[in-house]
C-alpha cells in the first residue's frame, strides 16, 4: 500500500470549512462527518459566531442532527492562521466576502476548494465539475507559478453553479459519445435552497413561480463553455479554450419554483454530427458514462454518474433527489426534439452534486492526483 | 339600435352549461352570472346530480359564493331536450363523455362552445382562441352543410388547450407584425387547476415538479399550427392549412408545478425574416396587438390582450394571474436568445383565458358575427 | 343632511399613511383608494424611499395594481409636518420605529390609528377591534387630557394583533348572548403574511409547520382581556378592567403554517352559566351578532360580522378568506367540547380584518362619534 | 443462545404483507427489507396487481428505490393459502376490504398485525401502540379461545390511528410518572400522507388548511382511552377498561395541513394530582420514559422513545420527522397552561411510528413474548 493510501486510510487529511454555519457549510459538515479520508479540523465563520462551540454558533437546518464530533469544535475567524494545519480548506462563503478571504488563504499557501462564484471566471482558476472536467486540474501548477511568490501548496479551485452542474454532466456524456454539441436550450426550475438561508421569502414562492434569478442565466451560458471546453497551450502558457474550436451556443431560462431541494431542467440539444444520434443511442450513452473520478476511486463519487429513468414522469425532485445521496444526476424523457435534435429532463440535487459534494469529490481527485500536498513523510 | 344589440341589452340570450358542477362548469357560472348579454337558463351534469338544485348538486370550490340566481336552478341531464331554448350551450364536460354528448347536441341543432379536446382535431371544427383566430369562424357554414341533414343553427366550436392558449396569443401578435415564425421552443410550468378536481394528488406536487403531462406536448405542438394557420380553399371546400405555407416547428416540454392557477412558460422563437426584430420591437408589437374581439366590442375581452412587464422578475402567477380577471396574457423578460432569436416569459390564467373565458368570448364573437342565431324577429 | 355627512360625501377627510411602502401600508392603500369618505393625502416611509413617487418607492406585492391616483404621490419622511393637513393618520409602521414616530405624531396633535403593538398595553390607549369594543373610544378624552399640554385633536388608538382579532369577535358575540366566558383554549394556524415581507423564509415553511411565533401567545392571552373587558371608573379616572369582574383564562398555542393569507384557529370555551348554551344556540348567537359599527353605518363594516358555515369542512383559508373582502370572520364546526363546553373553528383574514381593515373601521367609528375632529365649520 | 434467538438471528421468521402496493404497504417493504429478524416471503394486493412481479405491480412513491430482493416477488391475491408459511402477516389494507380479509386470515390461524381501523373497537382485539401498552398483548389468548374452533396461532392485533399514536406516547410517560390525567386538549395539524394515495387533492391543500378529517376526532377521543386504560378481569373474562377507573376526557380538533409527512399537535393536559408537576418535571419524565419494547430489545424501537427539544421553535415536521427513522416521538415547548396544567407540542411521523413501524415493533414484541409461534424445533 502506498504512503498515500496509508495516509488516507488513517484519516490523516485534516480539512477546514469556511462559512461553516451557513447552508453550504452545514452541508459540508454533514457530508464530511463520515468521510473515509478527511477529518474536520477547523471551522470558520463570521465574527459574530467565533469563539463559540459550533452547536451554539449555528442555526442548524439539516434533517440529521449535528454530528457529535463537530458540536464542540470552537468556531474560528476566517483567517489563514487558524487553518494552517489543514491540507484542504472547503469554502462555503457568500460571494460578498469569498473573494478576499479565499485570496488570503491562497496567499498563505493553502489549498482552497470553493463553492463561491468569485474566482470562476479567473483564467488561471479551474472551474471543475468532478464528473466532467477533472483534467482541468492541470491548470493548478500554472496558477501557483503565477503567484508572487510562487506557491508550493496553495491554490484556488472552484466548482460550478448548481444549475450549471446538472446541465454539463449529461452534455459531457453526449459529447464524449457523439462529438460536439452546437446548441443547447435549457429551462430550469430551481429549488429554493439554491438561494441559501433565509434566501427566498415564502411570500414570493408559495403558490408561485419567479421567472428570474439574478445572474443565473449568464452563469449557465458562460460556465458551460469553460467546463466543457478544453485547455489550449501556446508558448508554454495554458488557457481554457471555452469550447471555441466547436462553438457552442447555450440559451438558459432560469426560474425559481416552490421545491426545497433539487433543480429540474428541460434540455434540448443539437449535435454537429449529421444524422444525430437516436433517443435510444442517447440513453445508452448516458447510462454508460463513467467519469474518471469513479475509475480512480474517489469515495464520494456515485456509482451511477447518470441514472436514466424509463418511466415517463421521472425524474421528480421530491422522489429522486436523494438517490445516491444526491451525488449523481438523473435524466428522463429522452426523446426527439422538433426544433433541435434531442430533448430530455435533468434533475440534479443542488445542495449535493450542485454544491458541497462536488467540492469534496474535487478534493478527492486533487489528493489522488497529487495536486493537494499531504503531510506524509 | 339594431335588433341584435337591443336583444343583447335586454339579456335575451339564454345559455346552458354542460358539466356545470365540475371545475370548468363552476368557472362558467361565476363568469356568466354577471354577463351583460347572456343569462344562465339551464345547467347539465351527470345523472348523480340531476334533479337537485345547483347549490346541493355541486361541491363548490370557487373563492366567491355561488351566484344567488343560480343556487336554485335544477340540474338536468345532459340531453338536448333540456337545452332546446338555449341559443348557446357551453360545455365544460370531461373528455370521456364530451364526444358523444356534444355530438348529440349539435345533431339537435344546438350551438356548442366546447372546452373539451374531443373535436379539436376535427377538420370541420374551428379551434379558436378568441384573441387570435376569430376568422376561423368562417368554417361553421361548411360544418353545418356537411351534416346530414344540414344544420340551421347547430355546430361545435372548440377553444384550445389552456397551455396552447397562452402561447398562441403572443405568437400571433409577433406574426402579425413581423411575419412567419419558423421555430418555437416552449417549456411550460402548469398550474394544478389545469388537471381539474380532484386532479393532481397533493403527494405528487407539494415540494415537487412532475416533468410530464400526458398528451399535453402533442396538443401544444399540433394545436398551435391549426390556430396560427390559415384556411385554404380548393374546389369550394375549405380546410385548415396548419401553417403549412410557412412550416413552423414547435417543441414543447410540459411540467406540472405547485401553483394553483396560472400557467407560466418560457418561450423562444425564430422568425423567417432576417434580421429578426429587436427585443424592443417585439415589446412594442406585443403591446400594440389588438384582437378583433376587442375592436368588435366583445364585452369579456380584456383591454390589454397582452400586458408587457418591464420588471425583470415578472410575470408571476400569484401576483399577475388575476389582472383583467385573467382574460389577458402577460409577457415579460423579452430579450435575445443565443440559440433562436428572441426569448420571453408568458403567463396565462388557465382557468380564465385558458378555459371558460375563451369559450365565452368565442360565443360573443359568434353572436356579433351572426354565426349564432338569436331568437329575434 | 348634517355638516358631517356632507363632508364625508364630499370626501373631504384627508388621510395619511405611515409605513406606506410596507405590507400593511400597501394594504391600506389598496383599501383606501376607493373609500367613500377618505382621500389619501400623504404617504410616509423610511428615508430610503422619501422623495420618490410612490410607484418607484415601493416593491408592490398586491394582486391588484397600484391605484392610479397613488402612483405619483411623493413619499415623505414620517414627520408630523408632512401630515399636518391629515385628519387621520394610519400607521403601518414596524414596531421598532412605531413607538417614537407615533408618539411624535400624537404630540403634534394628530390622530393616529396604529396597527403596531407599541401602545397596545398603554393604560390610556384604547385597543379596539371595531366589531367588538368600539365603546373603548370613550378613553380618548382622558388620553388627550393627560398629555402635556392637553391635546385638542391628537391621540393614539391601536387595533389588535391579527390573531387576537379573529378570536375576540366570536367571543364577544357569545358573551353578549350568554354572559361571561371563563376559559378559552385556542390553537392558531397562522398565515405567513402575518409576519410581513420578507418575513418567513420559504425554507422554514414549505412542507413544514413552525409551532412558535415569538410573543404571539402572550399577545393573544393579554389583548383578549383588554378588548373583552370593560372600563371602570374611580375618582373620575377611567381604566380598562381587563375582564377582571369575571376572570377569564385564555390559553393560546400559536403556529405558523404554509398559508398565504388567513389565520385559522380551533377554539374551545367554557361559559360561567350552567347549563351552557347548546351548539345550535351558539350558532344562532353568532349569526345574529351585529356590531355597533354596522348599525352606525361605517362603510367598511361587513354585512355579516360572523358568517357561520354549515359544511363540516369549512371555513378554509383559501376559499373563505376573501368573503366580504376579508372584513368579516368565519366560524364553522360549532359542536360540543368534551373538556370545556363548546368548540368551533374560526377563520379571519389577517391582512384585512386582522390589520388594515380594522384600522379603517376604527377611523370610521371615530369620525361618526366625533372623536376625530374634521375641518368642517 | 436460546432457540428463539437463534431462529431470529438466522432470519427464519417469514412475513407477509397485505396491501403491499399501497402507501402503507410500500412503507412496510422499505422498513422490512433490512430487518434483522424478518424476511419478506409473500406480498398480497388487489386482483389487478396479482401475478405480476412487485416492481411492475406497484406505483412506487418512496424516496428510496424498491429493495432489490422484493422487485421480483410475484404479487398474490390476499388469500390465506398464499401466506400459510408466514409466521406474521402485516396488513396495510384499506378499511373497506380489511375487515373481511383480516378476519379470513385469522380464521386460517394466521397472526395478523393490522394498520386498519376495522378491528380497533373489537373488545377482544388489542389496540397497541408499542411504546405504550404492550401489556395488552395478554388479551390474545382470550381472543384465540373465543374463536370457533379455538385458534392455535391466529389472532388479530391492531395498531392505533396515526394521530392517536403521537398523543398517547407522551401521555403514557406522564401518567407513569405523575398518575392519572383527567383532561386532555389536542389540536392536530396532520400531514397529507395520512390520507394515503392519491388521498388529498392538491387543490384542497396548497395554500390551505382543511379543519376537518372525517372520523379522526372520534378515533383520537376513543382510542386514547382504550390504549391508556388497563385490563379488568371478572369471572375469568378480561376486558379493556377504557381508563374508567380514572375518567379521562379528551377533546380533539383535527386539521389537515400542507405537510407531506409528520403530524404536529398542540396538547394540553390536566392531572389528577394537585399540585400538578412543573414543566421541568414534565420534561424530565418525558426524557426518562423507556418503554418495555426498548428494554426487551425489540430492534425497531428507537433509542429515545421521546425526544424533548429545548429550542423554542421545535419540533418541526420537516426537520424532525426523520430522526431515528421516525420511530420516536418529539416533544417541545413544555410550559404551563393557563386553562389546564401543562401544554406542549408533539410531533410524530405518521408513516413511521404512526403506521408501519408500530406494526413491526408490535410483531417484535409478540415474538419475544411468545405470542407469535415460530416454526422452531
Amino acid at each position: 500500500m502506498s504512503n498515500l493510501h496509508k495516509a488516507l486510510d488513517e484519516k490523516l487529511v485534516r480539512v477546514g470549512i469556511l462559512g461553516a454555519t451557513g447552508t453550504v457549510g452545514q452541508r459540508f459538515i454533514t457530508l464530511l462527518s463520515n468521510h473515509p479520508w478527511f477529518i474536520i479540523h477547523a471551522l470558520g465563520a463570521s465574527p459574530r459566531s467565533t469563539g463559540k462551540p459550533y452547536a451554539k454558533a449555528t442555526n442548524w437546518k439539516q434533517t440529521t442532527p449535528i454530528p457529535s464530533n463537530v458540536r464542540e469544535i470552537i468556531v474560528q475567524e476566517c483567517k489563514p492562521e487558524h487553518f494552517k494545519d489543514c491540507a484542504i480548506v472547503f469554502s462555503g462563503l457568500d460571494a460578498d466576502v469569498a473573494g478576499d478571504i479565499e485570496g488570503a488563504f491562497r496567499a498563505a499557501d493553502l489549498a482552497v476548494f470553493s463553492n463561491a462564484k468569485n474566482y470562476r471566471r479567473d483564467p488561471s482558476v479551474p472551474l471543475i465539475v468532478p464528473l466532467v472536467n477533472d483534467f482541468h486540474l492541470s491548470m493548478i501548477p500554472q496558477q501557483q507559478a503565477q503567484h508572487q511568490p510562487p506557491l508550493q501548496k496553495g491554490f484556488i479551485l472552484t466548482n460550478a453553479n448548481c444549475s450549471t452542474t446538472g446541465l454539463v454532466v449529461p452534455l459531457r456524456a453526449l459529447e464524449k459519445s457523439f462529438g460536439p454539441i452546437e446548441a443547447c436550450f435549457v429551462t430550469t426550475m430551481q429549488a429554493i435552497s439554491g438561494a441559501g438561508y433565509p434566501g427566498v421569502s415564502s411570500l414570493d414562492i408559495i403558490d408561485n413561480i419567479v421567472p428570474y434569478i439574478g445572474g443565473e442565466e449568464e452563469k449557465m451560458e458562460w460556465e458551460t463553455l469553460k467546463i466543457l471546453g478544453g485547455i489550449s497551450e501556446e508558448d508554454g502558457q495554458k488557457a481554457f479554450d471555452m469550447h471555441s474550436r466547436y462553438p457552442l451556443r447555450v440559451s438558459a431560462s432560469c426560474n425559481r419554483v416552490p421545491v426545497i431541494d433539487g433543480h429540474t431542467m428541460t434540455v434540448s440539444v443539437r449535435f454537429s454530427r449529421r444524422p444525430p444520434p437516436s433517443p435510444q443511442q442517447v440513453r445508452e450513452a448516458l447510462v454508460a458514462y463513467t467519469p474518471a473520478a469513479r475509475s480512480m476511486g474517489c469515495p464520494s463519487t456515485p456509482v451511477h454518474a447518470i441514472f436514466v429513468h424509463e418511466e415517463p414522469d421521472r425524474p421528480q425532485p421530491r422522489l429522486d433527489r436523494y438517490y445516491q445521496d444526491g451525488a449523481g444526476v438523473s435524466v428522463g424523457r429522452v426523446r426527439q426534439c422538433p426544433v433541435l435534435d434531442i430533448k430530455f429532463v435533468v434533475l440534479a440535487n443542488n445542495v449535493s452534486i450542485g454544491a458541497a459534494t462536488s467540492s469534496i469529490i474535487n478534493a478527492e481527485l486533487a489528493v489522488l492526483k497529487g495536486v493537494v500536498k499531504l503531510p506524509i513523510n
Side-chain angles (χ1 to χ4, degrees), chain A residues 38 54 57 113 126 132 195 220 233 280 284 305 336 366 371:
Chain A
F38 301 158
Y54 184 72
F113 292 80
V132 173
M220 289 192 79
E233 191 158 357
Q280 182 56 24
E284 288 165 7
Q336 284 188 310
V371 176

Side-chain angles (χ1 to χ4, degrees), chain A residues 229-268:
Chain A
I231 293 181
S232 63
E233 191 158 357
E234 197 173 336
D235 300 333
Q237 279 302 104
K238 292 178 167 183
F240 297 109
D241 77 2
M242 301 298 295
H243 213 275
S244 58
R245 283 181 300 169
Y246 304 97
L248 166 57
R249 289 169 298 142
V250 178
S251 177
S253 297
C254 294
N255 303 279
R256 188 73 69 192
V257 296
V259 165
I260 294 172
D261 290 326
H263 290 353
T264 309
M265 309 173 205
T266 62
V267 179
S268 189

Side-chain angles (χ1 to χ4, degrees), chain A residues 177-188:
Chain A
S177 286
F178 308 115
I181 289 170
E182 280 183 357
C184 173
F185 222 98
V186 57
T187 291
T188 68

Side-chain angles (χ1 to χ4, degrees), chain A residues 146-204:
Chain A
Q146 284 173 345
H147 203 268
Q148 291 302 336
L151 299 165
Q152 301 303 311
K153 300 183 298 178
F155 61 82
I156 294 173
L157 183 158
T158 70
N159 56 342
N161 184 269
C162 49
S163 47
T164 308
T165 300
L167 177 63
V168 294
V169 175
L171 293 193
R172 171 64 187 139
L174 296 180
E175 291 208 316
K176 190 175 174 192
S177 286
F178 308 115
I181 289 170
E182 280 183 357
C184 173
F185 222 98
V186 57
T187 291
T188 68
M189 293 168 278
Q190 298 185 222
I192 54 174
S193 59
Y197 182 84
V200 181
S201 165
S202 55
L203 281 168
D204 281 333

Side-chain angles (χ1 to χ4, degrees), chain A residues 26-307:
Chain A
Q26 292 185 5
R27 190 79 193 158
F28 272 122
I29 286 171
T30 302
L31 289 166
L32 290 169
S33 65
N34 287 311
H35 195 276
W37 300 348
F38 301 158
I39 187 155
I40 297 174
H41 181 72
L43 301 176
S46 64
R48 74 168 175 283
S49 300
T50 56
K52 299 180 194 163
Y54 184 72
K56 302 273 185 203
T58 194
N59 182 7
W60 189 255
K61 294 279 179 182
Q62 306 301 306
T63 59
T64 51
I66 302 178
S68 54
N69 54 348
V70 172
R71 292 185 65 86
E72 300 304 321
I73 296 181
I74 302 298
V75 175
Q76 309 284 346
E77 268 195 273
C78 291
K79 295 191 171 167
E81 58 259 38
H82 304 307
F83 292 78
K84 63 182 174 352
D85 296 331
C86 295
I88 290 166
V89 177
F90 293 107
S91 167
L93 292 169
D94 285 339
D96 55 345
V97 297
D100 288 348
I101 294 176
E102 293 175 8
F105 272 63
R106 175 172 62 179
D109 219 17
L110 290 164
V112 178
F113 292 80
S114 172
N115 192 62
K117 70 179 179 188
N118 306 60
Y119 289 92
R120 287 187 196 147
R121 290 184 178 236
D122 185 308
S124 71
V125 172
L127 170 56
I128 298 185
V129 172
L131 308 180
V132 173
N133 62 325
D134 55 278
F135 73 98
H136 284 193
L137 274 167
S138 66
M139 184 64 83
I140 296 291
Q142 181 167 308
Q143 182 189 146
Q144 293 175 320
Q146 284 173 345
H147 203 268
Q148 291 302 336
L151 299 165
Q152 301 303 311
K153 300 183 298 178
F155 61 82
I156 294 173
L157 183 158
T158 70
N159 56 342
N161 184 269
C162 49
S163 47
T164 308
T165 300
L167 177 63
V168 294
V169 175
L171 293 193
R172 171 64 187 139
L174 296 180
E175 291 208 316
K176 190 175 174 192
S177 286
F178 308 115
I181 289 170
E182 280 183 357
C184 173
F185 222 98
V186 57
T187 291
T188 68
M189 293 168 278
Q190 298 185 222
I192 54 174
S193 59
Y197 182 84
V200 181
S201 165
S202 55
L203 281 168
D204 281 333
I205 203 67
I206 291 181
D207 182 21
N208 205 18
I209 298 289
V210 181
Y212 176 71
I213 301 174
E216 196 80 358
E217 296 173 355
E218 293 78 3
K219 284 184 208 165
M220 289 192 79
E221 295 178 356
W222 190 92
E223 293 182 6
T224 296
L225 303 185
K226 182 166 178 179
I227 295 164
L228 292 182
I231 293 181
S232 63
E233 191 158 357
E234 197 173 336
D235 300 333
Q237 279 302 104
K238 292 178 167 183
F240 297 109
D241 77 2
M242 301 298 295
H243 213 275
S244 58
R245 283 181 300 169
Y246 304 97
L248 166 57
R249 289 169 298 142
V250 178
S251 177
S253 297
C254 294
N255 303 279
R256 188 73 69 192
V257 296
V259 165
I260 294 172
D261 290 326
H263 290 353
T264 309
M265 309 173 205
T266 62
V267 179
S268 189
V269 295
R270 179 180 163 87
F271 296 90
S272 289
R273 92 147 59 163
R274 302 282 95 188
S278 71
Q280 182 56 24
Q281 289 173 310
V282 163
R283 272 188 286 267
E284 288 165 7
L286 294 171
V287 168
Y289 180 66
T290 304
R294 176 91 199 141
S295 20
M296 291 176 66
C298 295
S300 301
T301 312
V303 174
H304 304 288
I306 301 171
F307 185 88

